[in-house]
Amino acid sequence: MRRDEQVGPGRTVTAGDALLLAAGAAELAADGLARALGRVRELLNRADLDELATEGRRELKARGQLVFDRLAAGPAHLEILAQHAAARRTAPAGDD
């Protein structure tokens, strides 16, 4: 027994079509996952894995240092100028 549903003008999707679409999407996802696992396996078999991990840690630490440096520096020069300009615009005339 097939139950048809009207999807749009001239388009009908049956329950069988929906099942085939879902199965196709699941197969596509499984294929992508298999490829990703294959890449991970290749990465783990690399001879320079320790060097690669060390370089990755070094880069992450450098990025972290940049974040802390940026936060510790305080507001940027242009931001301070913009705050002063906004304060002047909202101040009553003659308070300069």
Side-chain angles (χ1 to χ4, degrees), residues 3-15 17:
R3 189 174 128 196
D4 294 344
E5 296 180 24
Q6 194 70 21
V7 175
R11 294 182 182 210
T12 303
V13 175
T14 64
D17 289 339

Side-chain angles (χ1 to χ4, degrees), residues 42-62:
E42 289 173 11
L43 179 65
L44 292 175
N45 289 331
R46 286 181 60 148
D48 62 343
L49 185 60
D50 287 337
E51 294 172 33
L52 192 62
T54 301
E55 180 63 29
R57 274 193 297 274
R58 196 175 353 209
E59 184 174 332
L60 285 175
K61 283 176 67 176

Side-chain angles (χ1 to χ4, degrees), residues 18-88:
L19 183 61
L20 290 175
L21 288 169
E27 196 278 332
L28 184 62
D31 184 52
L33 182 61
R35 287 182 187 183
L37 289 175
R39 289 185 185 131
V40 168
R41 191 174 301 121
E42 289 173 11
L43 179 65
L44 292 175
N45 289 331
R46 286 181 60 148
D48 62 343
L49 185 60
D50 287 337
E51 294 172 33
L52 192 62
T54 301
E55 180 63 29
R57 274 193 297 274
R58 196 175 353 209
E59 184 174 332
L60 285 175
K61 283 176 67 176
R63 287 175 176 263
Q65 186 64 51
L66 287 173
V67 169
F68 282 119
D69 291 348
R70 198 176 318 131
L71 291 174
H77 177 69
L78 290 177
E79 185 177 340
I80 293 170
L81 291 176
Q83 290 170 355
H84 287 296
R88 271 186 261 136

